[in-house]
Amino acid sequence: KPMEAAELLVAYLEQIGVEYVFGVPGGAIEPLYNALARSARHGGLRPIVARHESGAAFMADGYARETGKVGVVCATSGPGSTNLITGVACAYENEIPMLVITGQPSLILMGKGALQESSGAGIDTVAMFRTCTRYSALISHPDQLERQLTNALLSTYQPTPGPVHLSIPVDVQRTGCGRARAAGGEPRVRRPQDDRPVRRGQAQHRPEHRCRQRRRTVRCRRKQHRKRLPLEAHHVRGPR
């Protein structure tokens, strides 16, 4: 039986070591949550349901900061997608790797005024996320999922870390993508850092190292600011 596009997406996330997926369920993202539930039964990805999409985005942001892995957040179409923008913009400003997955109505309903339509004919969420992400694309065919997902995951770490966005219609999530469910057909994604040569005596720069180094820099700046003397202490008295 061919693997659904949602199942292929979950398999990719398992390959790169993602443990949790944060978000709020919805009709346009239901196939993805069904695939996450099947993965959780076998000890795979665990979905974390938040009370608001903005909170889910900040949860994924904190997960990426602490672990160095890609923070994954998903939401439904329409208002679910627009509620993510504040948290995604925060990750974009702080260069935090994050994968944002949003749903869309079926392709045959695009441009016809469907409920919570967020395509180019209505509220274009792909264009909205393009201003606060490193990569934003709409997947209009199941065969595009593997290539678009690989490009998005690579863009989270190079040339500058940051969030990426993929918008997947609900019918595309349910469609088979041509891969079998056997173990031999499991996808594999390598991080761009794995292919970089490491010189002798030089540590390989990983995303988790970048996050730790960024936190150390902030702490050092705070300590230096506390040690500064007030302006009155630097005043030089002249001759009496």
Side-chain angles (χ1 to χ4, degrees):
K1 185 178 179 180
M3 180 183 294
E4 293 182 359
E7 293 178 339
L8 178 63
L9 176 59
V10 172
Y12 262 89
L13 298 179
E14 291 176 351
Q15 288 288 331
I16 63 177
V18 176
E19 301 172 333
Y20 303 98
V21 176
F22 307 93
V24 178
I29 204 73
E30 179 185 359
L32 178 59
Y33 269 94
N34 293 336
L36 290 174
R38 289 190 291 267
S39 177
R41 295 193 196 103
H42 300 87
L45 295 178
R46 179 184 174 187
I48 305 297
V49 179
R51 293 190 176 184
H52 194 270
E53 289 84 0
S54 180
F58 282 109
M59 292 165 69
D61 185 313
Y63 172 81
R65 291 173 188 261
E66 291 298 324
T67 63
K69 301 178 182 179
V70 179
V72 183
V73 60
C74 60
T76 186
S77 60
S81 302
T82 56
N83 289 339
L84 292 172
I85 293 181
T86 302
V88 175
C90 177
Y92 180 79
E93 179 67 20
N94 294 276
E95 299 179 357
I96 304 301
M98 181 189 299
L99 174 61
V100 183
I101 304 171
T102 60
Q104 286 276 5
S106 300
L107 292 173
I108 58 175
L109 299 178
M110 286 188 176
K112 298 181 180 180
L115 178 65
Q116 296 183 353
E117 182 181 355
S118 51
S119 63
I123 304 299
D124 194 353
T125 55
V126 176
M128 295 171 67
F129 278 101
R130 197 167 289 146
T131 59
C132 58
T133 58
R134 305 294 180 189
Y135 185 89
S136 181
L138 170 66
I139 299 177
S140 58
H141 195 276
D143 294 340
Q144 299 177 0
L145 176 63
E146 195 167 359
R147 177 176 57 85
Q148 296 277 23
L149 180 60
T150 303
N151 294 337
L153 291 175
L154 292 176
S155 299
T156 57
Y157 290 111
Q158 62 178 5
T160 305
V164 295
H165 169 244
L166 290 177
S167 182
I168 311 175
V170 62
D171 55 344
V172 175
Q173 298 178 38
R174 295 194 181 102
T175 308
C177 55
R179 279 190 177 268
R181 297 176 186 269
E186 293 183 356
R188 181 175 182 270
V189 178
R190 292 187 298 176
R191 294 184 178 181
Q193 284 80 6
D194 296 340
D195 299 329
R196 297 178 183 178
V198 182
R199 299 178 182 177
R200 177 179 292 182
Q202 181 181 4
Q204 191 170 6
H205 296 283
R206 297 279 183 178
E208 54 267 21
H209 294 169
R210 295 179 181 176
C211 296
R212 293 172 185 173
Q213 185 178 5
R214 189 178 297 110
R215 288 196 297 268
R216 292 173 185 171
T217 305
V218 173
R219 292 172 185 170
C220 293
R221 290 179 180 176
R222 290 178 179 175
K223 292 180 180 179
Q224 294 176 1
H225 181 71
R226 293 173 182 174
K227 292 180 180 179
R228 290 179 182 177
L229 297 176
L231 295 177
E232 292 78 7
H234 296 279
H235 179 68
V236 181
R237 296 183 178 179
R240 297 181 180 176

